[in-house]
Amino acid sequence: MNSVDLTPLYRSSIGFDRLASLLDSALTSDTTPSGYPPYNIEIIDENCYAITLAVAGFSQDNLDIQVEKGVLMVRGSHSDKDDSKYLYHGIANRTFERKFNLADYVEVTNADLANGLLTIDLVKEIPEAMKPKSIAINTTAQAIDHKTDSEQKVMKANKAA
């Protein structure tokens, strides 16, 4: 596969470093991702999400959840070796690491483990400064005139007198 050089994107954009890094990592990542453990990503509400991973056989002590630089990482490992002898061993019991890239302002709020399913709750909290705001529209005649500051001061002084 041909590699894509994103260097021009890095040198001509400011503030989009994370987007370029996401593209770069998506293009250079392993082309055969592991399907273990299976997971669902669910939209609960407009700004609420849940990731559910099937982690049968893992206890709370065997799981580790971390968020670093906008990446949610879930790891599972078995520390003790099973010396059992099986006729058939179909239940996956291997260590794993699953990564999820989080959008800006998405925070992990909770994690629950029940019945072999690990559910991680996520909330997108946009700061007030980033939310859209309405601007009032004035209906004065001065909006059309475009007078200088000194002319407006003279007009206000004349109106006051």
Side-chain angles (χ1 to χ4, degrees):
M1 181 177 139
N2 295 336
S3 64
V4 177
D5 184 20
L6 295 175
T7 306
L9 182 62
Y10 282 113
R11 69 175 174 243
S12 65
S13 62
I14 298 170
F16 294 98
D17 305 342
R18 181 151 185 249
L19 176 64
S21 297
L22 282 172
L23 286 172
D24 195 27
S25 66
L27 293 172
T28 59
S29 67
D30 188 14
T31 57
T32 58
S34 171
Y36 182 76
Y39 65 93
N40 293 333
I41 300 177
E42 184 178 0
I43 299 174
I44 306 297
D45 197 4
E46 183 178 347
N47 292 322
C48 296
Y49 307 91
I51 299 173
T52 305
L53 290 97
V55 291
F58 287 88
S59 67
Q60 184 176 351
D61 297 334
N62 300 128
L63 296 170
D64 181 39
I65 302 171
Q66 295 180 355
V67 178
E68 183 179 350
K69 295 181 182 178
V71 176
L72 169 65
M73 191 174 338
V74 182
R75 290 186 187 115
S77 61
H78 283 288
S79 57
D80 55 331
K81 296 292 180 184
D82 187 11
D83 292 333
S84 301
K85 294 183 180 182
Y86 297 98
L87 290 176
Y88 174 76
H89 191 189
I91 299 174
N93 204 15
R94 59 184 183 255
T95 61
F96 69 88
E97 179 176 285
R98 177 70 76 174
K99 294 181 181 180
F100 301 93
N101 292 315
L102 302 178
D104 292 336
Y105 312 114
V106 174
E107 299 291 329
V108 177
T109 59
N110 192 26
D112 294 313
L113 179 64
N115 300 326
L117 296 175
L118 174 66
T119 302
I120 302 169
D121 298 325
L122 306 164
V123 174
K124 184 174 185 178
E125 295 180 359
I126 300 173
E128 286 296 322
M130 301 295 290
K131 289 182 180 177
K133 59 182 175 182
S134 295
I135 308 298
I137 301 172
N138 298 324
T139 58
T140 61
Q142 293 178 358
I144 298 172
D145 293 341
H146 299 294
K147 297 187 189 300
T148 63
D149 286 341
S150 60
E151 290 174 341
Q152 287 180 2
K153 288 179 185 177
V154 170
M155 286 182 62
K156 285 182 182 178
N158 290 341
K159 286 182 182 179

